Amino acid sequence: MKNLLNILVIFTSLGCINIANATPEQDKETFQRFYMERFPDVSKEDFGNGVYALDQDARDQWESMSDFPPYEDDLEAGEELFNNPFKNGKNYANCFKNGGENIRQNYPKFDTERNSVITLELAINECRMKNGESALPYQKGDIAKISAYMASTSEGSLIEIKVPNDNALIAYEEGKQYFYSKRGQLNFSCANCHIQNVGRKARSETLSPALGHPTHFPVYRMAWQNFGTLHRRFASCNKQVRAQPLAGQSEDYRNLEYFLTYMSNGLPINGPASRK
Amino acid sequence: MLSIKIPFKFLFIIVALSIISNIALASEMDGKKIAFDRKKGNCLACHAMDDGDMPGNIGPPLIVMKTRFPDRAILKAQIWDATIKNPISIMPPFGKHHILSDAEIEKLLDYLYTL
C-alpha cells in the first residue's frame, strides 16, 4: 500500500495520474517523454551515455580517454572466453540465436515456459551448465567479460524488450514496483535519485537518467578497476542507501532489469562503457 | 580591598566565560562533524553549507538559520522526518530511521543555528 502510494506520488509529480494501471508501452512513453522534456538538448541515443550526456566537463574528460579505453584488455579476454570451446567441444555460440552475435538488445527475455525473466548473464551460465561447466560468479570477472564482448557485437542495435503474456506482465510490474519503492535506512527509491533528482548533484556526483541505464553494461568503473554487470551496479546503489543488496540474478534484480530495459526500448546498445 | 576584589571577580567571569564558550564551541564542532561526516548526517550530499567542500545541490543552501527557523522544534522536525512536511521529500528521515541519535540531532541543531 505504501509502495503504491509512492508510485502514485512520484508519477503524479511527473504529471501523469493514470499510470498505476498503464500498459508497459504507455509507461515507456511517459518515462521517455519525461527525460526528453527535462533535457531538450539531449538526443534520445545520448541518454545511453549516462551522466556524460548531462555534464559537458565530465564528458570532455571521459572522451579524452576513449582512444584507449581502460577496458580494452578485458574486452579482448571476453572474446577469447566466448570463443574457447568447453571440454565437450561445444561453445557459447551453440547456445544462442545467431551464434550469440548481435543479440544483447533482446535481453532480458521473458521465458514463457519457465515463467521467468532470463538475463544475458543468466543465459551465459545456463549455457555453461548445460555443457557440463561450472557456473561463474555473477557480478564481475569472466561473466562480465563475456557479456561485455557479446554487448560489443550489438553496437548500435536498438533495444527491443517484449512483454509476451500476463505472467511476463507480472514480472514487469514487480520490477516497476521495485524501482519506485523506497528502501534502506536512508529511505530512497531508485526513482528518487534517477528521476526526481536527475541531473542534480549528490556531493560531486551528477545523478544519471534512468533512461539509457541498461544500454551500456557491463561497465568498467575506474573505482572498480574491472567490469561489473548491471546487477553489481544495482547492489552498489542499494548499499549507498544502506539497503540490503541482493544477490546477482536474484528474481527481484532480474525483474528490475526487465522493467528498466523495457523503459529504454528503442535506444541503441553502446556497451561496454567506462565510468568513473 | 575593593581594588583586589574586582580583578578576582573579573578573572572569575573571564574563566567562566571561556569555559562556557569552550563548551559551546565543542558542541558546535561536534555538530559540524555530524553534519559533514558521510557516515552521519552527510548533509553536504545535498546542501551547500558553511565551508563544506563540493556540496550537492539537491536541497536548498543552509544559511541564516536563526532567521528562517526561529522555532527550534520546526527545524528539528525537518531533520527528524522531512516527509511529514513534504511527503515526497528525498531527505532521509534522520530521527525516525535512527540514522542519528536524539543527542546527535540536538548537537546538529546547535551547529545549524551558527549558520
Side-chain angles (χ1 to χ4, degrees):
Chain A
M1 194 56 211
K2 191 158 160 259
N3 291 338
L4 193 67
L5 197 73
N6 278 327
I7 293 173
L8 285 172
V9 166
I10 300 283
F11 268 124
T12 313
S13 74
L14 294 183
C16 183
I17 290 138
N18 241 337
I19 204 126
N21 36 32
T23 65
E25 203 47 28
Q26 287 165 333
D27 285 350
K28 187 205 81 181
E29 293 297 323
T30 317
F31 198 90
Q32 298 196 352
R33 186 156 29 87
F34 167 77
Y35 289 104
M36 293 194 283
E37 284 174 5
R38 177 88 164 68
F39 303 103
D41 298 336
V42 176
S43 70
K44 190 166 161 181
E45 307 82 72
D46 207 20
F47 282 106
N49 291 320
V51 293
Y52 307 122
L54 312 182
D55 181 340
Q56 189 60 43
D57 282 350
R59 187 181 194 118
D60 292 343
Q61 275 182 19
W62 176 66
E63 280 179 347
S64 71
M65 65 177 190
S66 63
D67 286 343
F68 301 99
Y71 52 72
E72 236 165 25
D73 290 348
D74 280 1
L75 183 56
E76 253 169 53
E79 178 169 8
E80 249 166 60
L81 287 164
F82 180 83
N83 289 318
N84 257 355
F86 302 127
K87 284 182 224 87
N88 67 6
K90 296 199 167 154
N91 65 15
Y92 293 105
N94 302 118
C95 295
F96 292 97
K97 267 199 190 142
N98 201 31
E101 308 262 318
N102 197 16
I103 59 167
R104 168 80 256 189
Q105 65 278 13
N106 302 319
Y107 282 86
K109 267 181 198 244
F110 192 81
D111 182 325
T112 51
E113 270 152 41
R114 294 155 67 191
N115 277 333
S116 180
V117 172
I118 311 295
T119 63
L120 185 58
E121 285 82 12
L122 186 64
I124 289 171
N125 257 348
E126 289 186 341
C127 173
R128 293 177 60 84
M129 291 188 286
K130 206 173 80 188
N131 286 291
E133 303 282 329
S134 60
L136 296 168
Y138 274 121
Q139 305 222 8
K140 57 183 172 184
D142 285 353
I143 207 157
K145 294 177 191 167
I146 296 165
S147 169
Y149 168 68
M150 292 177 79
S152 73
T153 68
S154 280
E155 170 94 51
S157 297
L158 305 187
I159 294 182
E160 195 183 345
I161 303 306
K162 300 202 168 92
V163 178
N165 63 17
D166 284 352
N167 287 326
L169 190 60
I170 292 172
Y172 167 91
E173 291 291 347
E174 281 177 6
K176 175 175 161 186
Q177 172 102 356
Y178 192 94
F179 187 82
Y180 290 101
S181 302
K182 281 181 174 278
R183 66 176 53 76
Q185 192 186 27
L186 301 187
N187 208 40
F188 287 89
S189 68
C190 315
N192 283 152
C193 287
H194 295 290
I195 294 185
Q196 203 183 352
N197 287 287
V198 58
R200 297 213 178 87
K201 287 195 168 185
R203 294 238 184 195
S204 56
E205 293 255 30
T206 304
L207 297 169
S208 59
L211 175 59
H213 265 171
T215 63
H216 53 276
F217 272 81
V219 151
Y220 188 101
R221 278 187 75 195
M222 306 318 274
W224 290 334
Q225 288 288 312
N226 51 40
F227 275 128
T229 59
L230 187 57
H231 293 198
R232 185 178 180 193
R233 182 72 240 195
F234 291 167
S236 314
C237 283
N238 279 160
K239 284 184 221 155
Q240 283 189 72
V241 302
R242 301 184 196 161
Q244 184 65 41
L246 305 177
Q249 303 305 320
S250 58
E251 190 181 10
D252 280 346
Y253 276 1
R254 280 184 286 119
N255 291 344
L256 174 62
E257 179 174 345
Y258 190 42
F259 165 76
L260 200 59
T261 313
Y262 194 99
M263 291 301 100
S264 285
N265 264 354
L267 265 64
I269 296 289
N270 60 342
S274 64
R275 291 287 185 269
K276 218 173 34 164
Chain B
M1 276 305 274
L2 208 72
S3 63
I4 297 169
K5 251 185 191 161
I6 291 171
F8 266 135
K9 212 173 177 181
F10 191 64
L11 250 173
F12 173 77
I13 290 171
I14 290 194
V15 169
L17 267 180
S18 79
I19 289 173
I20 290 168
S21 71
N22 267 340
I23 290 171
L25 207 65
S27 111
E28 198 183 291
M29 291 297 284
D30 286 352
K32 181 171 179 177
K33 197 163 181 294
I34 290 163
F36 282 25
D37 192 319
R38 284 166 196 269
K39 297 214 153 60
K40 292 285 182 183
N42 198 15
C43 316
L44 284 175
C46 301
H47 297 280
M49 63 198 294
D50 211 349
D51 58 354
D53 205 22
M54 307 265 258
N57 60 2
I58 292 170
L62 300 180
I63 45 169
V64 289
M65 301 305 284
K66 252 188 209 137
T67 321
R68 298 192 308 125
F69 291 90
D71 185 345
R72 188 172 169 115
I74 290 181
L75 184 55
K76 185 167 183 179
Q78 172 72 29
I79 292 160
W80 190 268
D81 180 6
T83 63
I84 292 175
K85 191 161 165 226
N86 171 11
I88 64 160
S89 180
I90 189 187
M91 178 161 152
F94 289 98
K96 187 177 155 210
H97 277 200
H98 307 288
I99 302 163
L100 297 176
S101 70
D102 195 47
E104 285 171 328
I105 291 177
E106 290 297 338
K107 282 187 190 159
L108 181 63
L109 290 169
D110 291 343
Y111 165 64
L112 290 178
Y113 279 117
T114 69
L115 302 179

